[in-house]
C-alpha cells in the first residue's frame, strides 16, 4: 500500500531532512513548481504555547516583510491551530565551520564573510528586537561561491519557559546558565564564530569536554585570540575579549563595532620613521636585516639539527661500546661465584690441615697425609681451572669484539666526518651573513634588534603600536645576599657567589598595561593607566604572557604547560622565547655592579615609588632614575615575579641557578608602592602562591640571546 502523502499549506512533504528538539525539517515540493523547498515545522509543544505562538507570528512576519541579504528568504509562514512552520527555497550549502577546518582564515576574508551577518543581526536587534538565539555553523552556511546564508531567523529560540535549551559549544554563558536569550547573547555567538574563523580553533583545548567549556565561559577563562593569531592587532584583540566576556554589559554595543575594529586592524600601518633616518634608506635597511634574519634563523635550525645528529652519533657509539663492556662484565659475573667458591674450599682445606689435631694425625698416618695432599692438589687445580676458563672466555669475547669495536669506531668517524663536512659550510655561511648583518646594522644601533651582541645594546620590542626597550646586560658574577654582618634576614644569607655564563636581554621597565593588553587583549589592573605597570597578575598569567609573546614573535615558547593540568609548568632551557628572570638574575640586574642598597641609589626616593611617596598606588614606569644598567623601577612600584620557587640559599658558588624544584610559593622581588624601605632593598625577598594576584604585583620579562 502506497504511503499517504502529507501536505502542509499546499506543499507536499517528500522526506524528513532531520529532527531536532524544537523542530523537524522536511524536503517539500509544490505542484507545478520545480523548485525544492525546505519546510521547518515546530514541535507540538511550541504550537500549543500561547506566548510562543504570539512571538512566532510577529517575528517570522517581520523577517518575511523585511528580509536581509544574508537571511534565507522565507517563502511562506504557516500559522494555524495545529501547525507552525516556515518554508524557504532549498539551498546547497555547507556549515561555515568547514571553511576553517584545515586552516584559519585571513582577516580580510573574515571581514568579507561576517559583515553581512553583522548588519543583519544589528538590524533585527535594533529595529525589531528580534533575537536569533541559535547562532552556530548549522544555521550559518555557505554555498559554492562562499556566499553566507543565515537560517532560522525569526523562529524565536527563546523557549526557556518550556524547559528546553540545547547545550552547544557556541552558546553564551547566560544562555547556558540562565536559559535566556538577548541581543548580547547573539553578539557573543557572533564573536565566537569570528574567533574560530581567525584562529581555526575554539578558545579552549581540542579535547575539552562540552560541559567544561560552560565553566570556562562563565569564569572568563577562555584562551585569548593571541594564543593562535600571534600578530593580532591589540585593539581587535581587546574587542574580541570584550565580546566574549561573561558579563553581557561589558560586550560591544553591536556586531558592527567588531567589524569596525577588524577594518581598522586591516588598515592600520605600523610606524617606521621614528629613528631620524631617511625613510627610504631605513626601509631598505629593515628589509635587508629582515631577510638576513630569516636566513640566519634557517641556518640556526640547520646547525642545531646537525649538532643534534652529531651528539646522537656519539651517544650511539658510547652505547654500543658499553654493551660490549657489559658482555665482558657478564662473563666475569658468570664465573665469579664458581671461582669464589673454589677459593673458599681450598682455603678452608688448608686451614683444616694446619689444625693441631690434624697435623698430629698426619704425623702418625702417612695415608691420611697423602689423602690430604691429594685433596689440596685437586682443590688447587679446580681453582686454577675456573680462573683459566674465565680468562679464556674473556679472551674469546675480546677477540670477537675487536672487529665490532673497529667497525663501531669506523662508522662513528665516518658519520662525524660526513656531518662535519655538512656543518662547516653552514657555519661559514652563518658567519658571513652575521657579518653582513652587522654592516647593515651600522646604520642605526636598533636595526640589529635581538641579533646585537655588544653589551648594553638596545632592541625594540614592538607589539602593534606599543614599543618597549630591551637592553643586553653582560654576563658576569656577583655576591648574592645581604652582606651586612648584622640585621640580615634568615632567608637573605649566606652570601654566595653566583656566576652567569651568558648575556641576557632585559625589558627596561616592568611590563606595562598597554603592552599586556596588546599581547593578551585585556587589562586586569586595579589602577588603570596604559603606562603603569600591569598588576593583579598571577605567576601563571605572567607565564601565559611570555608564551603568547614568544609565539607572536615567531620564537619557541620557553614554558611547557601540561594540557591536562595547567598548573604544571616546566622550563625548556633550549627555547629562544621570552621568560621570567630567575631570582639570581633579578638581583644581579638590580645591583647593576653597584654597592647601593636600592637599585640605582642610596637615596630611595630617587629611584623608587614606595609607601612613603606613592600615595598608595602604582605610577607610570620610568618616572624615577634608572640604575647603572638603565633598568627602571627595579626597586618599588610593583613586585616582580621570578621563575624560582622559594628556597634557602646555597653556601657555595653557583652557576646560572634556577632555584629549587618545589616550594611553598614563587618568588617575587623589588618591593612595591605599598612596601616600606626594608622590602625595597636589592637583596630583599618575597614570595606568594603562584595563583595569587595583587594590586601591587607585576612582572618583567627577559630573553636569552640567540
Amino acid at each position: 500500500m502506497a504511503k499517504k502523502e502529507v501536505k502542509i499549506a499546499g506543499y507536499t512533504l517528500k522526506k524528513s531532512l532531520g529532527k531536532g528538539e524544537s523542530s523537524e525539517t522536511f524536503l517539500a515540493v509544490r505542484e507545478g513548481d520545480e523548485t525544492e523547498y525546505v519546510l521547518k515545522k515546530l514541535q507540538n509543544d511550541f504550537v500549543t504555547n500561547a506566548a510562543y505562538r504570539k512571538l512566532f507570528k510577529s517575528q517570522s512576519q517581520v523577517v518575511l516583510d523585511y528580509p536581509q541579504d544574508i537571511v534565507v528568504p522565507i517563502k511562506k509562514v504557516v500559522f494555524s491551530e495545529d501547525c507552525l512552520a516556515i518554508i524557504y527555497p532549498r539551498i546547497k550549502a555547507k556549515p561555515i565551520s568547514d571553511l576553517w577546518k584545515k586552516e584559519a582564515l585571513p582577516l580580510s576574508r573574515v571581514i568579507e564573510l561576517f559583515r553581512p551577518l553583522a548588519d543583519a543581526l544589528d538590524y533585527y536587534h535594533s529595529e525589531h528586537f528580534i533575537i536569533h538565539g541559535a547562532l552556530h555553523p548549522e544555521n550559518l552556511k555557505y554555498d559554492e561561491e562562499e556566499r553566507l546564508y543565515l537560517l532560522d531567523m525569526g523562529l524565536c529560540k527563546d523557549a526557556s519557559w518550556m524547559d528546553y535549551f540545547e547545550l552547544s559549544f557556541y552558546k553564551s554563558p547566560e544562555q547556558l546558565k540562565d536559559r535566556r536569550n538577548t541581543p548580547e547573547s547573539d553578539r557573543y555567538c557572533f564573536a565566537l564564530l569570528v574567533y574560530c574563523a581567525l584562529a581555526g580553533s575554539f578558545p579552549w583545548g581540542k579535547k575539552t569536554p562540552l560541559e567544561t567549556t560552560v565553566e570556562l565561559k562563565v569564569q572568563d577563562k577562555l584562551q585569548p585570540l593571541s594564543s593562535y593569531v600571534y600578530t593580532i592587532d591589540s585593539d581587535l584583540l581587546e574587542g574580541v575579549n570584550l565580546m566574549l566576556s561573561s558579563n553581557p554589559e561589558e560586550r560591544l554595543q553591536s556586531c558592527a563595532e567588531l567589524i569596525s575594529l577588524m577594518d581598522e586592524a586591516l588598515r592600520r600601518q605600523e610606524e617606521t620613521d621614528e629613528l631620524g633616518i631617511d625613510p627610504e634608506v631605513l626601509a631598505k635597511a629593515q628589509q635587508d636585516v629582515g631577510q638576513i634574519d630569516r636566513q640566519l634563523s634557517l641556518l640556526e635550525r640547520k646547525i642545531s639539527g646537525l649538532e643534534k645528529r652529531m651528539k646522537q652519533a656519539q651517544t650511539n657509539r658510547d652505547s654500543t661500546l658499553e654493551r660490549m663492556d657489559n658482555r665482558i662484565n657478564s662473563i666475569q659475573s658468570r664465573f665469579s661465584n664458581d671461582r669464589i667458591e673454589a677459593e673458599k674450599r681450598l682455603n678452608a682445606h688448608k686451614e683444616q690441615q694446619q689444625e693441631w689435631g690434624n697435623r698430629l694425625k698426619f704425623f702418625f698416618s702417612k695415608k691420611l697425609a697423602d689423602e690430604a695432599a691429594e685433596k689440596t692438589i685437586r682443590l688447587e687445580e679446580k681453582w686454577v681451572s675456573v680462573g683459566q676458563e674465565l680468562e679464556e672466555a674473556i679472551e674469546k669475547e675480546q677477540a670477537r669484539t675487536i672487529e665490532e669495536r673497529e667497525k663501531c669506531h669506523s662508522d662513528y668517524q665516518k658519520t662525524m666526518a660526513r656531518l662535519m663536512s655538512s656543518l662547516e659550510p653552514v657555519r661559514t655561511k652563518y658567519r658571513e651573513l652575521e657579518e653582513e648583518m652587522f654592516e647593515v646594522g651600522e646604520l642605526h644601533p636598533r636595526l640589529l634588534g635581538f641579533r646585537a651582541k655588544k653589551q648594553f645594546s638596545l632592541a625594540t620590542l614592538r607589539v602593534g603600536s606599543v614599543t618597549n626597550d630591551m637592553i643586553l646586560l653582560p654576563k658576569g658574577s656577583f655576591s648574592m645576599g645581604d652582606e651586612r654582618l648584622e640585621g640580615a634576614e634568615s632567608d637573605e644569607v649566606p652570601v654566595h657567589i653566583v656566576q652567569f655564563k651568558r648575556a641576557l636581554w632585559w625589558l627596561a621597565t616592568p611590563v606595562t598595561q598597554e603592552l599586556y593588553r596588546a599581547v593578551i587583549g585585556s587589562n586586569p589592573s586595579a589602577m588603570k593607566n596604559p603606562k603603569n605597570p600591569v598588576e593583579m597578575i598571577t605567576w601563571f598569567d605572567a607565564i601565559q604572557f611570555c608564551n603568547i609573546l614568544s609565539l607572536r614573535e615567531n620564537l619557541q615558547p620557553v614554558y611547557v604547560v601540561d594540557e591536562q593540568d595547567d598548573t604544571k609548568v616546566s622550563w625548556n632551557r633550549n627555547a629562544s622565547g621570552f621568560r621570567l628572570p630567575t631570582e639570581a638574575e633579578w638581583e644581579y640586574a638590580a645591583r647593576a655592579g653597584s654597592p647601593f642598597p636600592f637599585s640605582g641609589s642610596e637615596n630611595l626616593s630617587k629611584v623608587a615609588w614606595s609607601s612613603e611617596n606613592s600615595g598608595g598606588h602604582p605610577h607610570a614606569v620610568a618616572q624615577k632614575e634608572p640604575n647603572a644598567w638603565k633598568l627602571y623601577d627595579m626597586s618599588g612600584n610593583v613586585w616582580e615575579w621570578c621563575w624560582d620557587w622559594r628556597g634557602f640559599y646555597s653556601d657555595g658558588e653557583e652557576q646560572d641557578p634556577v632555584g629549587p624544584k618545589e616550594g611553598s610559593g614563587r618568588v617575587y622581588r623589588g618591593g612595591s608602592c605599598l612596601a616600606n624601605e626594608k622590602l625595597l632593598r636589592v637583596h630583599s625577598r618575597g614570595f606568594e602562591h603562584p595563583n595569587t594576584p595583587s594590586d601591587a604585583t607585576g612582572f618583567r620579562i627577559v630573553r636569552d640571546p640567540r
Side-chain angles (χ1 to χ4, degrees):
M1 184 176 177
K3 189 175 180 181
K4 185 179 179 181
E5 289 186 338
V6 177
K7 290 189 176 183
I8 296 178
Y11 290 82
T12 302
L13 306 187
K14 302 300 290 184
K15 64 176 180 178
S16 175
L17 297 177
K19 186 175 183 180
E21 294 185 60
S22 61
S23 63
E24 186 171 4
T25 303
F26 297 90
L27 175 64
V29 295
R30 189 171 59 172
E31 188 175 348
D33 189 343
E34 296 181 358
T35 304
E36 290 185 328
Y37 294 91
V38 171
L39 185 147
K40 182 162 287 192
K41 181 177 180 293
L42 276 297
Q43 302 285 16
N44 287 334
D45 287 344
F46 291 80
V47 177
T48 58
N49 186 281
Y52 183 83
R53 289 176 63 85
K54 183 178 180 180
L55 284 171
F56 173 80
K57 183 176 183 180
S58 63
Q59 295 191 4
S60 58
Q61 191 63 43
V62 167
V63 176
L64 181 61
D65 293 341
Y66 303 100
Q68 298 294 295
D69 288 343
I70 193 175
V71 177
V72 175
I74 296 177
K75 182 71 174 177
K76 186 178 182 63
V77 176
V78 180
F79 187 83
S80 64
E81 290 185 1
D82 59 352
C83 180
L84 297 179
I86 60 170
I87 303 170
Y88 53 85
R90 188 185 189 189
I91 56 171
K92 295 181 179 179
K94 301 176 182 178
I96 190 175
S97 55
D98 285 5
L99 288 172
W100 57 77
K101 271 186 178 179
K102 294 183 179 179
E103 60 181 358
L105 303 181
L107 180 58
S108 58
R109 185 71 185 103
V110 174
I111 294 172
E112 181 184 354
L113 276 173
F114 284 90
R115 191 189 302 279
L117 177 60
D119 292 341
L121 291 174
D122 289 344
Y123 169 78
Y124 286 121
H125 289 167
S126 61
E127 297 295 327
H128 303 283
F129 204 75
I130 294 179
I131 301 158
H132 188 281
L135 283 177
H136 55 73
E138 290 302 321
N139 279 332
L140 194 61
K141 300 190 176 186
Y142 72 98
D143 60 17
E144 293 180 352
E145 298 178 356
E146 294 193 0
R147 183 181 184 276
L148 224 56
Y149 295 92
L150 177 62
L151 308 178
D152 287 4
M153 194 73 209
L155 286 191
C156 185
K157 295 294 183 182
D158 191 356
S160 56
W161 62 81
M162 303 177 73
D163 198 30
Y164 158 68
F165 220 87
E166 174 184 26
L167 189 62
S168 167
F169 280 113
Y170 291 90
K171 286 194 179 294
S172 68
E174 64 271 18
Q175 286 177 305
L176 296 168
K177 282 289 187 180
D178 303 329
R179 307 171 68 80
R180 61 188 174 88
N181 279 325
T182 64
E184 291 80 11
S185 303
D186 273 357
R187 292 200 283 273
Y188 184 100
C189 301
F190 174 80
L192 187 53
L193 285 163
V194 168
Y195 183 114
C196 293
L198 289 171
S201 169
F202 284 112
W204 46 74
K206 291 182 179 179
K207 298 181 180 179
T208 305
L210 180 57
E211 293 76 11
T212 303
T213 67
V214 178
E215 295 306 315
L216 292 176
K217 292 176 180 180
V218 171
Q219 297 173 18
D220 283 324
K221 290 188 175 180
L222 303 182
Q223 296 176 4
L225 185 54
S226 52
S227 300
Y228 300 96
V229 188
Y230 311 136
T231 56
I232 186 72
D233 176 84
S234 56
D235 288 344
L236 174 56
L237 175 61
E238 183 178 40
V240 173
N241 279 2
L242 288 173
M243 284 287 256
L244 296 179
S245 170
S246 62
N247 182 358
E249 294 180 0
E250 292 182 356
R251 296 173 197 157
L252 302 179
Q253 295 301 302
S254 67
C255 296
E257 284 190 49
L258 187 57
I259 294 293
S260 177
L261 287 174
M262 288 193 278
D263 284 335
E264 291 172 14
L266 196 62
R267 292 194 301 266
R268 189 173 287 119
Q269 299 293 328
E270 293 186 355
E271 298 177 4
T272 57
D273 187 19
E274 64 174 40
L275 303 178
I277 302 171
D278 183 284
E280 292 186 5
V281 175
L282 176 62
K284 178 64 166 61
Q286 288 176 325
Q287 183 179 358
D288 292 345
V289 167
Q291 185 177 1
I292 295 172
D293 188 48
R294 288 189 290 274
Q295 293 180 52
L296 286 173
S297 297
L298 289 173
L299 293 175
E300 280 176 350
R301 287 196 285 272
K302 286 184 180 179
I303 290 171
S304 177
L306 289 167
E307 288 177 341
K308 285 180 181 178
R309 289 168 62 186
M310 292 170 73
K311 188 174 182 180
Q312 185 61 49
Q314 185 175 0
T315 300
N316 293 343
R317 180 204 61 181
D318 293 344
S319 297
T320 302
L321 294 177
E322 185 179 359
R323 285 197 299 272
M324 295 178 188
D325 291 337
N326 287 340
R327 292 209 299 260
I328 293 176
N329 293 335
S330 176
I331 293 170
Q332 290 176 327
S333 177
R334 194 166 68 245
F335 283 93
S336 175
N337 293 334
D338 292 344
R339 198 159 188 242
I340 291 172
E341 187 62 31
E343 188 174 14
K344 282 182 179 179
R345 290 178 180 176
L346 176 60
N347 291 336
H349 178 66
K350 287 182 177 180
E351 289 175 2
Q352 190 179 29
Q353 284 181 299
Q354 296 301 317
E355 293 177 359
W356 182 83
N358 287 332
R359 284 163 56 193
L360 186 62
K361 289 178 184 178
F362 298 155
F363 180 78
F364 288 104
S365 174
K366 186 174 182 304
K367 181 179 178 182
L368 289 175
D370 290 343
E371 288 176 353
E374 288 177 4
K375 186 174 181 180
T376 300
I377 292 171
R378 288 198 306 273
L379 291 172
E380 286 178 341
E381 288 176 347
K382 178 64 175 176
W383 182 75
V384 170
S385 173
V386 172
Q388 288 176 341
E389 289 179 18
L390 172 61
E391 290 177 2
E392 289 173 2
I394 290 177
E395 287 178 4
K396 184 178 179 182
E397 180 61 32
Q398 287 176 334
R400 187 169 78 88
T401 59
I402 286 175
E403 185 176 344
E404 290 183 35
R405 286 179 180 274
E406 289 178 352
K407 185 177 185 306
C408 177
H409 284 295
S410 175
D411 290 346
Y412 172 72
Q413 290 171 355
K414 289 178 181 178
T415 300
M416 293 299 285
R418 185 177 70 254
L419 292 173
M420 283 299 296
S421 66
S422 300
L423 182 60
E424 280 308 310
V426 180
R427 282 178 171 165
T428 300
K429 179 64 174 175
Y430 185 90
R431 287 191 291 269
E432 291 174 353
L433 282 173
E434 201 171 43
E435 289 177 7
E436 185 179 341
M437 172 173 267
F438 290 149
E439 289 177 6
V440 177
E442 293 299 321
L443 179 67
H444 192 279
R446 288 182 185 269
L447 264 180
L448 293 182
F450 294 103
R451 291 282 183 185
K453 296 186 180 297
K454 295 179 181 178
Q455 293 182 9
F456 307 113
S457 293
L458 291 177
T460 300
L461 174 62
R462 183 190 298 275
V463 182
S465 60
V466 180
T467 59
N468 292 86
D469 282 345
M470 293 197 77
I471 304 170
L472 184 62
L473 299 190
K475 62 183 179 180
S477 62
F478 79 113
S479 295
M480 185 174 183
D482 192 343
E483 296 177 319
R484 296 178 299 174
L485 297 177
E486 297 180 1
E489 297 292 331
S490 60
D491 65 347
E492 296 173 4
V493 291
V495 175
H496 55 292
I497 300 296
V498 175
Q499 192 172 45
F500 299 106
K501 295 183 295 184
R502 302 180 71 188
L504 189 64
W505 287 100
W506 278 77
L507 194 66
T509 68
V511 172
T512 60
Q513 294 177 25
E514 63 179 358
L515 177 57
Y516 190 86
R517 172 183 170 274
V519 174
I520 300 298
S522 60
N523 179 9
S525 303
M527 181 77 176
K528 296 286 196 297
N529 184 320
K531 299 298 182 183
N532 277 16
V534 67
E535 16 91 359
M536 294 302 293
I537 293 295
T538 69
W539 184 86
F540 294 110
D541 291 334
I543 292 298
Q544 181 193 43
F545 176 93
C546 290
N547 276 0
I548 291 177
L549 179 59
S550 298
L551 291 168
R552 184 182 183 114
E553 298 299 308
N554 198 28
L555 301 170
Q556 182 181 7
V558 167
Y559 300 116
V560 180
V561 181
D562 191 310
E563 287 188 4
Q564 304 301 319
D565 183 358
D566 60 7
T567 64
K568 293 181 179 178
V569 180
S570 59
W571 177 359
N572 178 3
R573 301 295 296 276
N574 296 319
S576 58
F578 295 90
R579 62 177 176 85
L580 297 177
T582 65
E583 184 180 15
E585 288 169 344
W586 190 97
E587 186 171 328
Y588 174 66
R591 289 178 180 272
S594 302
F596 303 130
F598 310 108
S599 183
S601 179
E602 292 181 349
N603 185 337
L604 179 62
S605 64
K606 285 186 176 181
V607 294
W609 295 107
S610 69
S611 59
E612 296 179 1
N613 64 358
S614 69
H617 60 82
H619 289 255
V621 300
Q623 299 301 300
K624 294 290 186 177
E625 295 179 7
N627 68 11
W629 288 350
K630 304 302 180 185
L631 299 180
Y632 294 86
D633 299 291
M634 292 293 280
S635 289
N637 220 355
V638 292
W639 291 97
E640 297 180 11
W641 285 113
C642 297
W643 160 258
D644 313 46
W645 286 106
R646 188 232 185 188
F648 292 104
Y649 284 162
S650 167
D651 57 1
E653 184 173 328
E654 293 185 293
Q655 190 173 80
D656 295 320
V658 296
K661 292 184 178 179
E662 57 185 18
S664 54
R666 294 284 183 176
V667 171
Y668 49 41
R669 286 296 207 112
S672 75
C673 58
L674 305 179
N676 59 33
E677 177 178 313
K678 181 180 178 181
L679 296 176
L680 271 68
R681 297 169 300 148
V682 290
H683 43 69
S684 293
R685 309 174 73 194
F687 69 99
E688 185 54 86
H689 188 280
N691 211 24
T692 302
S694 160
D695 58 1
T697 304
F699 66 107
R700 188 184 304 251
I701 57 173
V702 299
R703 180 184 165 189
D704 292 296
R706 299 171 79 166

